[in-house]
Amino acid sequence: MMIKFFLRVFFLCVVSALALPSYAQSGAGADPRSLIDALSKADFGEAEKLIGQLAATGDARLVPALNAFSEGDLYFRKSDNLVFIGKSAGSNYELIDPVTGASAGQAAKNAVTKIKINNSLRRVIRSAMGGLTLLSPDRGVRLQAADAVLRSPSAENLELLETAISKETDGEVKARMVEARAVSLLSSDRSVDEKRAAIQTIKNYGGRNAIGILMGASASLDPSLKADVDAAIASIESGQRLWDIGQNVWYGVSLGSVLLLAAIGLAITFGVMGIINMAHGEMVMLGAYSTFVVQQVIRDSAPGLFDWSLAIALPVAFLVTGAVGFVIERGVIRFLYGRPLETLLATWGVSLILQQTIRSIFGPTNQEVGNPSWMSGSFPVGGMTITWNRMWIIAFSLSIFVALLVVMKKSSFGLNMRAVTQNRRMASSMGIKTPWVDAFTFALGSGIAGIAGVALSQIDNVSPNLGQSYIIDSFMVVVFGGVGNLWGTLVGALSLGVLNKFLEPSVGAVLGKILVLVLIILFIQKRPRGLFALKGRAVEA
Amino acid sequence: MTFKSKLGGALLAAVMSTTALQGAFAADDTIKIGVLHSLSGTMAISETTLKDVMLMLVAEQNKKGGVLGKKLEAVVVDPASDWPLFAEKARQLISKDKVAAVFGCWTSSSRKSVLPVFEELNSILFYPVQYEGEESSRNIFYTGAAPNQQAIPAVDYLAKEEGVKRWVLAGTDYVYPQTTNKILKAYLMSKGVAESDIMINYTPFGHSDWQTIVSDIKKFGSAGKKTAVVSTINGDANVPFYKELGNQGIKAEDIPVVAFSVGEEELAGLDTKPLVGHLAAWNYFQSVDADVNAEFIKEWKAFTKNDKRVTNDPMEAAYIGFNAWVKAVEAAGTTNTDAVLDSIIGVSVPNLSGGTSTVMPNHHITKPVLIGEIQADGQFDIVQETAPVVGDEWSDYLPDSKNLISDWRKPMSCGNFNVASGKCGGKGS
Amino acid sequence: MLTVNNVNLHYGAAQALRGVSIHADMGKITCVLGRNGVGKSSLLRAVTGQHPVSAGTISFQGEVLNGLAPYNRAKHGIGYVPQGREIFPLLTVQENLESGYAPLARKDKFIPDEIFSLFPVLKSMLGRRGGDLSGGQQQQLAIGRAMVTRPKILVLDEPTEGIQPSIIKDIGRAIRYLRDSTGMAILLVEQYLDFCRELADQVYIMDRGEIVHEGAAETLDTAEARRHLTV
Amino acid sequence: MISGFVFRALEGRIVAAVGILLAIGILVPALNLLTPPDSALHIPTYVMSLFGKYLCYALLALALDLVWGYCGILSLGHGAFFALGGYAMGMYLMRQIGSRGVYGNPILPDFMVFLNWKELPWFWYGFDWFVFAMVMVLVVPGLLAFVFGWFAFRSRVNGVYLSIITQAMTYALLLAFFRNDMGFGGNNGLTDFKDILGFSVQADGTRAVLFFMSALMLSLCLILASAIVRSKFGKVLVGVRDAESRVRFLGFRVENIKLFTFVVSAMMAGIAGALFVPQVGIINPGEFAPANSIEVVVWTAVGGRGTLIGPIIGAILVNGGKSFFTGAFPEIWLFALGGLFIAVTLFLPKGIVGTIQHGFKARKALKAAAEAEKGRGGTETVAQAQAAE
């Protein structure tokens, strides 16, 4: 993302530098090259001033240098204290002139020193770059520039913004610039009336950020504007309140979908087959590790495919955990049908062994599983923020649910599976190969836990303990929803998720979780077979 | 006699004979040291590394000829993240294996669990992890950071360099964050921060759904004042927390997060690109530019045969503790606990950030505080380094501990001397 | 032809069958009578493979069945209607019937129309859960379900138990129809003498795990047969 | 009548077991205290406290066996009762520290001082009095078991459901006790004890007495459990385990039978916890972890559920093995432990003692089942094979 942006800016600036030489030369007196070189000896405070001076040149050729500075790619050569943009090239750095963009040869890594940067400097750079790129011919760059100014407003950019607004033709960019201008105006020395209008603009812009801007500015504003600010804040907040509820529901649904993911494999192995499968969490963990291995292979051999890594990991995880599940069923569980409470002991042993195996192979520490770009970041919906990864996880867990439902209800395997769990002996006499069905049912449940692990690797850490943190929640969901009923698992997961998220703001995360557990215990007293208990003559038969 | 009695008798005999056997094995030409770190269970993720470091240090020392002309032998046990088991294993190491000193523990609970054992059996524990302070035992050396060696300088940095005026203190609900946040709150308020500008939030262990809290932080941060998060979130919960921060688009330039439990090892499990600029405060970073550090990293990678293994602060603390012990033993000429306790105070050994660390009379050590910003490669870029700070066992910002000091030199020999009353023993009344 | 030759069967230390030998011809209804607990159901368990035999052989159409799992015997054409029906309670009627597809070749995976002509009530209840049917309906479903597997021998364990007389008639009609139209063998275990006498071509009487009488249906009225059947 | 109750309990095997326990209870401390450290017969203190710990675990396993082995209630939350008993004892021990804490505060425990508590919370009142604390050791777990059981058994929550909600119970308590605001020391728990009844907890003499007490309490509880099991009530209990609805139809109030057993068992677990704490020197929320409770189930299963001696042997064996393996093979001991669980469930479904008692019948049944599985009979399960016997 940033690299792409960097390249684009870089290219454009070279172009604009060629196209508009007069503008480029027309900055303030200071020579940009010597300003940049001064960075080699500057502390953070001095660097801040230097950046201000660089911004004041208005020289758009400086954008790549500033960008490199903010990314930590600016170096000075120890021999002559000249500053360059450095790019790693094997054991050397490829040096690039910060102003002209021309190559300046290579230097050994220990011949140059990185110029230190911190958050305050990054903020200043962001603002400076915003100013420098507001007039860029590229719409995307201008939009980003307006955003940058909006986030780090300063009165110095005001006139530039006004120039940019007058030239702007694109509606969205213009709107953003108008907002940025309003924000910048609050800290300028413009008239009270202009500021009043700016407050209105910000109010219409709305959202949490607007409240922050107004509250931040209110202290330094003329006292006569205080009423306007308060009214604007109140109005934004009242609009925000409903969105907040919506946001909370969203969080609840998203937590619920995670619970659903974690529990859905268990709904098969425990809910349908009646095995108290304490190794379920480890299946999730194996799925997450499969994702890690797939990403590792992709990183090493085909980095271009990284965005596809999850899609590749899904079948891999399904097959790996399914196969492990198959082995566990054939090796251990098949001897224990009819003794559900003892399956607990054996699978507990299995879970210890799986954990230790993974620990021995991969080590006890977290492994890095990256987010593909389409799962990173967020987008606004009205006053809510929706993060892409949560959004995909909800979609993913619902589609697994639907797929499983279809397999159970529509396929002949699903029919055999249900027949075997309801009456194993009779199913065998109907010609159903019961051992085969048992093994593949368990493998299916395990495989689904595995693909849940692929999704969970995106939000949680991938370590040998991953499974342990989900096992209790999973059992709660299945029992709360009603054993043997997939719909119960769905409704159970979602309602527990939403309940949790509505308790959390008022009582805190810890008490919230305790309360949910207590409520489940009480609920089971009321309905001993869970939310979606199977009813009617059929159950007793 | 039933089979039961035979079984019981056999069992007892077996236990006794293994004891006798192992006792006989303890050859006289080695000095044993205990390594008490969880290799399984929830804490294995952090502690296993420290076990490896200890084995490496012992191997290095033996290459240099051991200690007092004898080879060192590390006795490794697994307390399995189970706190009572820590006490049992500590007792076993001291009584059965007769180790000269023990290096171990990570969580405060495990340290609290073994503390009475070390005091009772008069042995030495080197504790290598940053902790909440408020403790000073005659038999324990705290080579990790006390709150004043980590939290307070970090807050100072944010207030000064980033102009932070509003603070979120987010932590896992256990003793270290609770205490640290109490100290920080008192400290911030003493610096003139209004109570309404401090938000404290606790989450359970292993919390993985951070959506609400991150959005609360965002909300709290949109009050027009520069806001920062001081994170005492522990262990595994950090990864989902940072992932959520990244996804909700909280950039370090807007709301920086400074963490005290996130080091190179934790970042190894994360894609750090969205986190560039968030901070951590430690006494050591792998990126420290010092020859001794480069050497250490090289040895570590060679020892673990893994080029990707990182180093971190508790490893440095283990390194300092081990070297201080070696130096003290050589000064005392014996591994006898009392002699070592006397000789170790004032011992200075090189630390990995290029300076030296000295063992102080309060059984804490001096070390510089480093503030680092997270980089895209999972390393830290050091933005500030202080002069060496003495670990403060009794915080000056808690009402009941501000009058206490600890000095284990004779004749005071007291871990909780009250300077107001002039007596040893807390209130001293 | 099903041949049971000198079969013993144990439940742990208890012996349930002692040297039992019977045969059931194709196109014939063979009926095994006996009081409660004399080993009738054990005999059927041995035939269907639900319990291993400890001695003797069981063969069907010349193939030895010993050691085959129930699902393999189903593939060999043994259809089973167990005591108490054992309908899959949570499957619909349709699904109960379809559970018989397992041993079939792909082209045979359909429900024969004759099932619905014999038991029209099933057709109207296809969507109901098996467990929600009445006892008589379940019995009809159980027979229908066994028919889906296209058995060459149908093994029925007390199909009249707890069923109202009108449905017993329907079931009798169905059994006779199956014998006549398909030529399959039918092995029927009963306590209900009249039902047996009406249907059977060949009868056996069991007592204490042994066959004590063998003959045509008419021989049931002999004094010797009655002695074995009265309580 | 009471003498009859006790007399029935003292069947041969139990008498022998009690005898051995008491002998160990006297012999081990004696060897520890009276022999010189270099003598071949000397038992080091750490071995004694290790064994003392095992005895507490054995009592916990016995408590679980009473509800699981005899009443069919698989509790996955017995660790909670153990921990509550432990906390009651821990609170007493904390109060005995008095002003010897690091802050020298005569009223507040250290962890309250540095978290700025101003006064002692009400639920700490009375715990400086030993008798009160001992009553609480019984009452708190008993009360929790009563309330929990009263709801659960009345609404006929049973089988797997009951197991899962007992797990939810202990998990909720785990989270609650982790909270520092609860006033139980948060995750550090209660530690650094000094005295019990005026004797230093670290003195060898005190340890010896605690060890003896553990053996004694285990013996007493064994006799009590045996008496319960062998009484008429015990027969009904087994009836509830094997055929609950039939017992209900016979006119017994099954929920009351279960409730009584559950409460008794919880109290035993509480005693075990109370004896555990001074011997290991710490009680913290880790004891509430669901995994701990599952381990108790494993000990019981290994030893043999439904036998009174089995759980005791199971607890000692598994923990002894754990102590040994975590020291000898720290990297791979989980494989051994996990393998043990699997092996016991597969090959010794009745546990060690159960298998010996039933003269390898169980193994035969498994063989039959395995053969059945191979294809002769096809689908017979072990349970059915056993039921058929």
PDB file of all heavy atoms in Angstrom, chain A residues 33 36-37 68 73-77 80-86 94-98 102 104 112 115:
ATOM      1  N   ARG A  33      18.534  21.180  -0.706  1.00  0.00           N
ATOM      2  CA  ARG A  33      19.562  20.174  -0.502  1.00  0.00           C
ATOM      3  C   ARG A  33      20.296  20.398   0.822  1.00  0.00           C
ATOM      4  O   ARG A  33      20.505  19.477   1.608  1.00  0.00           O
ATOM      5  CB  ARG A  33      20.540  20.244  -1.681  1.00  0.00           C
ATOM      6  CG  ARG A  33      21.724  19.314  -1.597  1.00  0.00           C
ATOM      7  CD  ARG A  33      21.334  17.884  -1.920  1.00  0.00           C
ATOM      8  NE  ARG A  33      21.980  16.966  -0.993  1.00  0.00           N
ATOM      9  CZ  ARG A  33      22.028  15.650  -1.142  1.00  0.00           C
ATOM     10  NH1 ARG A  33      21.421  15.084  -2.176  1.00  0.00           N
ATOM     11  NH2 ARG A  33      22.620  14.895  -0.253  1.00  0.00           N
ATOM     12  N   ILE A  36      18.072  19.472   3.726  1.00  0.00           N
ATOM     13  CA  ILE A  36      18.004  18.027   3.942  1.00  0.00           C
ATOM     14  C   ILE A  36      19.289  17.533   4.586  1.00  0.00           C
ATOM     15  O   ILE A  36      19.278  16.732   5.520  1.00  0.00           O
ATOM     16  CB  ILE A  36      17.737  17.312   2.612  1.00  0.00           C
ATOM     17  CG1 ILE A  36      16.297  17.572   2.177  1.00  0.00           C
ATOM     18  CG2 ILE A  36      17.962  15.810   2.755  1.00  0.00           C
ATOM     19  CD1 ILE A  36      15.908  16.951   0.875  1.00  0.00           C
ATOM     20  N   ASP A  37      20.422  18.029   4.092  1.00  0.00           N
ATOM     21  CA  ASP A  37      21.677  17.568   4.665  1.00  0.00           C
ATOM     22  C   ASP A  37      21.793  17.937   6.139  1.00  0.00           C
ATOM     23  O   ASP A  37      22.419  17.222   6.923  1.00  0.00           O
ATOM     24  CB  ASP A  37      22.862  18.163   3.885  1.00  0.00           C
ATOM     25  CG  ASP A  37      23.036  17.460   2.545  1.00  0.00           C
ATOM     26  OD1 ASP A  37      22.520  16.317   2.421  1.00  0.00           O
ATOM     27  OD2 ASP A  37      23.644  18.041   1.633  1.00  0.00           O
ATOM     28  N   ALA A  68      10.400   9.139   2.235  1.00  0.00           N
ATOM     29  CA  ALA A  68      11.435   8.198   2.669  1.00  0.00           C
ATOM     30  C   ALA A  68      11.796   8.452   4.126  1.00  0.00           C
ATOM     31  O   ALA A  68      11.985   7.515   4.905  1.00  0.00           O
ATOM     32  CB  ALA A  68      12.675   8.364   1.794  1.00  0.00           C
ATOM     33  N   ASP A  73      13.693   5.579   5.659  1.00  0.00           N
ATOM     34  CA  ASP A  73      14.630   5.192   4.597  1.00  0.00           C
ATOM     35  C   ASP A  73      15.641   6.296   4.256  1.00  0.00           C
ATOM     36  O   ASP A  73      16.240   6.280   3.192  1.00  0.00           O
ATOM     37  CB  ASP A  73      13.855   4.822   3.313  1.00  0.00           C
ATOM     38  CG  ASP A  73      13.124   3.515   3.466  1.00  0.00           C
ATOM     39  OD1 ASP A  73      13.557   2.692   4.312  1.00  0.00           O
ATOM     40  OD2 ASP A  73      12.110   3.304   2.774  1.00  0.00           O
ATOM     41  N   LEU A  74      15.769   7.268   5.133  1.00  0.00           N
ATOM     42  CA  LEU A  74      16.702   8.357   4.866  1.00  0.00           C
ATOM     43  C   LEU A  74      17.998   8.099   5.654  1.00  0.00           C
ATOM     44  O   LEU A  74      17.953   7.803   6.843  1.00  0.00           O
ATOM     45  CB  LEU A  74      16.059   9.675   5.317  1.00  0.00           C
ATOM     46  CG  LEU A  74      16.350  10.919   4.478  1.00  0.00           C
ATOM     47  CD1 LEU A  74      16.044  10.671   3.011  1.00  0.00           C
ATOM     48  CD2 LEU A  74      15.511  12.086   4.987  1.00  0.00           C
ATOM     49  N   TYR A  75      19.128   8.191   4.951  1.00  0.00           N
ATOM     50  CA  TYR A  75      20.407   7.884   5.590  1.00  0.00           C
ATOM     51  C   TYR A  75      21.389   9.028   5.328  1.00  0.00           C
ATOM     52  O   TYR A  75      21.233   9.780   4.365  1.00  0.00           O
ATOM     53  CB  TYR A  75      21.004   6.607   5.015  1.00  0.00           C
ATOM     54  CG  TYR A  75      20.157   5.387   5.274  1.00  0.00           C
ATOM     55  CD1 TYR A  75      19.084   5.097   4.447  1.00  0.00           C
ATOM     56  CD2 TYR A  75      20.434   4.536   6.330  1.00  0.00           C
ATOM     57  CE1 TYR A  75      18.288   3.991   4.673  1.00  0.00           C
ATOM     58  CE2 TYR A  75      19.655   3.417   6.569  1.00  0.00           C
ATOM     59  CZ  TYR A  75      18.581   3.144   5.740  1.00  0.00           C
ATOM     60  OH  TYR A  75      17.809   2.051   5.982  1.00  0.00           O
ATOM     61  N   PHE A  76      22.399   9.159   6.186  1.00  0.00           N
ATOM     62  CA  PHE A  76      23.485  10.065   5.816  1.00  0.00           C
ATOM     63  C   PHE A  76      24.785   9.280   5.742  1.00  0.00           C
ATOM     64  O   PHE A  76      24.970   8.299   6.461  1.00  0.00           O
ATOM     65  CB  PHE A  76      23.590  11.273   6.744  1.00  0.00           C
ATOM     66  CG  PHE A  76      24.066  10.984   8.135  1.00  0.00           C
ATOM     67  CD1 PHE A  76      25.440  10.933   8.420  1.00  0.00           C
ATOM     68  CD2 PHE A  76      23.160  10.800   9.168  1.00  0.00           C
ATOM     69  CE1 PHE A  76      25.871  10.681   9.713  1.00  0.00           C
ATOM     70  CE2 PHE A  76      23.607  10.543  10.450  1.00  0.00           C
ATOM     71  CZ  PHE A  76      24.956  10.482  10.733  1.00  0.00           C
ATOM     72  N   ARG A  77      25.635   9.714   4.796  1.00  0.00           N
ATOM     73  CA  ARG A  77      26.892   9.011   4.591  1.00  0.00           C
ATOM     74  C   ARG A  77      27.845   9.485   5.657  1.00  0.00           C
ATOM     75  O   ARG A  77      28.044  10.688   5.852  1.00  0.00           O
ATOM     76  CB  ARG A  77      27.399   9.313   3.187  1.00  0.00           C
ATOM     77  CG  ARG A  77      28.490   8.394   2.721  1.00  0.00           C
ATOM     78  CD  ARG A  77      28.497   8.274   1.208  1.00  0.00           C
ATOM     79  NE  ARG A  77      28.627   9.573   0.567  1.00  0.00           N
ATOM     80  CZ  ARG A  77      28.359   9.776  -0.730  1.00  0.00           C
ATOM     81  NH1 ARG A  77      27.913   8.792  -1.499  1.00  0.00           N
ATOM     82  NH2 ARG A  77      28.516  10.962  -1.253  1.00  0.00           N
ATOM     83  N   ASP A  80      30.828  12.045   4.578  1.00  0.00           N
ATOM     84  CA  ASP A  80      30.671  13.469   4.261  1.00  0.00           C
ATOM     85  C   ASP A  80      29.361  14.068   4.790  1.00  0.00           C
ATOM     86  O   ASP A  80      29.011  15.190   4.460  1.00  0.00           O
ATOM     87  CB  ASP A  80      30.763  13.671   2.748  1.00  0.00           C
ATOM     88  CG  ASP A  80      29.787  12.766   2.003  1.00  0.00           C
ATOM     89  OD1 ASP A  80      28.963  12.102   2.694  1.00  0.00           O
ATOM     90  OD2 ASP A  80      29.838  12.709   0.774  1.00  0.00           O
ATOM     91  N   ASN A  81      28.622  13.306   5.576  1.00  0.00           N
ATOM     92  CA  ASN A  81      27.383  13.803   6.167  1.00  0.00           C
ATOM     93  C   ASN A  81      26.341  14.245   5.133  1.00  0.00           C
ATOM     94  O   ASN A  81      25.491  15.074   5.410  1.00  0.00           O
ATOM     95  CB  ASN A  81      27.627  14.961   7.137  1.00  0.00           C
ATOM     96  CG  ASN A  81      28.209  14.455   8.437  1.00  0.00           C
ATOM     97  OD1 ASN A  81      28.102  13.270   8.746  1.00  0.00           O
ATOM     98  ND2 ASN A  81      28.852  15.346   9.176  1.00  0.00           N
ATOM     99  N   LEU A  82      26.448  13.707   3.918  1.00  0.00           N
ATOM    100  CA  LEU A  82      25.422  14.017   2.928  1.00  0.00           C
ATOM    101  C   LEU A  82      24.263  13.030   3.101  1.00  0.00           C
ATOM    102  O   LEU A  82      24.467  11.860   3.421  1.00  0.00           O
ATOM    103  CB  LEU A  82      26.000  13.899   1.519  1.00  0.00           C
ATOM    104  CG  LEU A  82      26.938  15.032   1.122  1.00  0.00           C
ATOM    105  CD1 LEU A  82      27.449  14.809  -0.295  1.00  0.00           C
ATOM    106  CD2 LEU A  82      26.241  16.385   1.236  1.00  0.00           C
ATOM    107  N   VAL A  83      23.059  13.545   2.866  1.00  0.00           N
ATOM    108  CA  VAL A  83      21.871  12.724   3.125  1.00  0.00           C
ATOM    109  C   VAL A  83      21.342  12.138   1.816  1.00  0.00           C
ATOM    110  O   VAL A  83      21.278  12.824   0.801  1.00  0.00           O
ATOM    111  CB  VAL A  83      20.796  13.569   3.833  1.00  0.00           C
ATOM    112  CG1 VAL A  83      19.506  12.782   3.957  1.00  0.00           C
ATOM    113  CG2 VAL A  83      21.304  13.993   5.195  1.00  0.00           C
ATOM    114  N   PHE A  84      20.977  10.884   1.856  1.00  0.00           N
ATOM    115  CA  PHE A  84      20.431  10.200   0.682  1.00  0.00           C
ATOM    116  C   PHE A  84      19.217   9.364   1.081  1.00  0.00           C
ATOM    117  O   PHE A  84      19.069   8.988   2.240  1.00  0.00           O
ATOM    118  CB  PHE A  84      21.482   9.272   0.067  1.00  0.00           C
ATOM    119  CG  PHE A  84      22.682   9.991  -0.459  1.00  0.00           C
ATOM    120  CD1 PHE A  84      23.831  10.101   0.315  1.00  0.00           C
ATOM    121  CD2 PHE A  84      22.653  10.570  -1.724  1.00  0.00           C
ATOM    122  CE1 PHE A  84      24.936  10.770  -0.160  1.00  0.00           C
ATOM    123  CE2 PHE A  84      23.763  11.230  -2.197  1.00  0.00           C
ATOM    124  CZ  PHE A  84      24.913  11.343  -1.417  1.00  0.00           C
ATOM    125  N   ILE A  85      18.419   9.047   0.065  1.00  0.00           N
ATOM    126  CA  ILE A  85      17.404   8.015   0.268  1.00  0.00           C
ATOM    127  C   ILE A  85      18.103   6.689   0.043  1.00  0.00           C
ATOM    128  O   ILE A  85      18.805   6.515  -0.956  1.00  0.00           O
ATOM    129  CB  ILE A  85      16.249   8.165  -0.737  1.00  0.00           C
ATOM    130  CG1 ILE A  85      15.558   9.510  -0.541  1.00  0.00           C
ATOM    131  CG2 ILE A  85      15.251   7.025  -0.594  1.00  0.00           C
ATOM    132  CD1 ILE A  85      14.566   9.857  -1.623  1.00  0.00           C
ATOM    133  N   GLY A  86      17.950   5.765   0.989  1.00  0.00           N
ATOM    134  CA  GLY A  86      18.643   4.495   0.857  1.00  0.00           C
ATOM    135  C   GLY A  86      17.671   3.359   0.576  1.00  0.00           C
ATOM    136  O   GLY A  86      16.582   3.306   1.155  1.00  0.00           O
ATOM    137  N   GLU A  94      21.528   1.163  -1.958  1.00  0.00           N
ATOM    138  CA  GLU A  94      21.496   1.942  -3.182  1.00  0.00           C
ATOM    139  C   GLU A  94      21.142   3.360  -2.754  1.00  0.00           C
ATOM    140  O   GLU A  94      20.106   3.574  -2.114  1.00  0.00           O
ATOM    141  CB  GLU A  94      20.419   1.341  -4.087  1.00  0.00           C
ATOM    142  CG  GLU A  94      19.945   2.227  -5.202  1.00  0.00           C
ATOM    143  CD  GLU A  94      20.612   1.842  -6.507  1.00  0.00           C
ATOM    144  OE1 GLU A  94      20.546   0.660  -6.858  1.00  0.00           O
ATOM    145  OE2 GLU A  94      21.210   2.733  -7.137  1.00  0.00           O
ATOM    146  N   LEU A  95      21.996   4.340  -3.035  1.00  0.00           N
ATOM    147  CA  LEU A  95      21.754   5.705  -2.574  1.00  0.00           C
ATOM    148  C   LEU A  95      21.087   6.515  -3.685  1.00  0.00           C
ATOM    149  O   LEU A  95      21.491   6.448  -4.853  1.00  0.00           O
ATOM    150  CB  LEU A  95      23.060   6.370  -2.153  1.00  0.00           C
ATOM    151  CG  LEU A  95      23.789   5.678  -0.995  1.00  0.00           C
ATOM    152  CD1 LEU A  95      25.037   6.456  -0.612  1.00  0.00           C
ATOM    153  CD2 LEU A  95      22.869   5.536   0.215  1.00  0.00           C
ATOM    154  N   ILE A  96      20.116   7.289  -3.314  1.00  0.00           N
ATOM    155  CA  ILE A  96      19.380   8.099  -4.287  1.00  0.00           C
ATOM    156  C   ILE A  96      19.379   9.532  -3.802  1.00  0.00           C
ATOM    157  O   ILE A  96      19.107   9.791  -2.617  1.00  0.00           O
ATOM    158  CB  ILE A  96      17.934   7.593  -4.438  1.00  0.00           C
ATOM    159  CG1 ILE A  96      17.957   6.172  -5.012  1.00  0.00           C
ATOM    160  CG2 ILE A  96      17.117   8.501  -5.343  1.00  0.00           C
ATOM    161  CD1 ILE A  96      16.652   5.456  -4.836  1.00  0.00           C
ATOM    162  N   ASP A  97      19.674  10.437  -4.707  1.00  0.00           N
ATOM    163  CA  ASP A  97      19.687  11.849  -4.322  1.00  0.00           C
ATOM    164  C   ASP A  97      18.286  12.266  -3.900  1.00  0.00           C
ATOM    165  O   ASP A  97      17.312  12.014  -4.601  1.00  0.00           O
ATOM    166  CB  ASP A  97      20.140  12.696  -5.507  1.00  0.00           C
ATOM    167  CG  ASP A  97      20.334  14.129  -5.087  1.00  0.00           C
ATOM    168  OD1 ASP A  97      19.310  14.840  -4.930  1.00  0.00           O
ATOM    169  OD2 ASP A  97      21.489  14.537  -4.898  1.00  0.00           O
ATOM    170  N   PRO A  98      18.155  12.873  -2.721  1.00  0.00           N
ATOM    171  CA  PRO A  98      16.827  13.171  -2.186  1.00  0.00           C
ATOM    172  C   PRO A  98      16.089  14.252  -2.968  1.00  0.00           C
ATOM    173  O   PRO A  98      14.865  14.349  -2.865  1.00  0.00           O
ATOM    174  CB  PRO A  98      17.102  13.609  -0.749  1.00  0.00           C
ATOM    175  CG  PRO A  98      18.510  14.074  -0.754  1.00  0.00           C
ATOM    176  CD  PRO A  98      19.224  13.281  -1.777  1.00  0.00           C
ATOM    177  N   ALA A 102      18.125  11.240  -8.622  1.00  0.00           N
ATOM    178  CA  ALA A 102      19.150  10.553  -9.407  1.00  0.00           C
ATOM    179  C   ALA A 102      19.900   9.571  -8.516  1.00  0.00           C
ATOM    180  O   ALA A 102      20.000   9.773  -7.304  1.00  0.00           O
ATOM    181  CB  ALA A 102      20.129  11.571  -9.977  1.00  0.00           C
ATOM    182  N   ALA A 104      22.924   7.806  -6.719  1.00  0.00           N
ATOM    183  CA  ALA A 104      24.212   8.314  -6.257  1.00  0.00           C
ATOM    184  C   ALA A 104      25.117   7.161  -5.875  1.00  0.00           C
ATOM    185  O   ALA A 104      25.880   7.240  -4.922  1.00  0.00           O
ATOM    186  CB  ALA A 104      24.019   9.262  -5.082  1.00  0.00           C
ATOM    187  N   VAL A 112      26.815   4.095   6.196  1.00  0.00           N
ATOM    188  CA  VAL A 112      25.758   5.099   6.313  1.00  0.00           C
ATOM    189  C   VAL A 112      25.042   4.919   7.648  1.00  0.00           C
ATOM    190  O   VAL A 112      25.106   3.852   8.250  1.00  0.00           O
ATOM    191  CB  VAL A 112      24.729   4.994   5.172  1.00  0.00           C
ATOM    192  CG1 VAL A 112      25.364   5.303   3.845  1.00  0.00           C
ATOM    193  CG2 VAL A 112      24.084   3.623   5.173  1.00  0.00           C
ATOM    194  N   ILE A 115      18.767   8.119   9.623  1.00  0.00           N
ATOM    195  CA  ILE A 115      18.328   9.310  10.352  1.00  0.00           C
ATOM    196  C   ILE A 115      17.097   8.963  11.162  1.00  0.00           C
ATOM    197  O   ILE A 115      16.135   8.406  10.646  1.00  0.00           O
ATOM    198  CB  ILE A 115      18.031  10.450   9.374  1.00  0.00           C
ATOM    199  CG1 ILE A 115      19.312  10.769   8.602  1.00  0.00           C
ATOM    200  CG2 ILE A 115      17.534  11.680  10.125  1.00  0.00           C
ATOM    201  CD1 ILE A 115      19.143  11.825   7.567  1.00  0.00           C
TER     202      ILE A 115
END
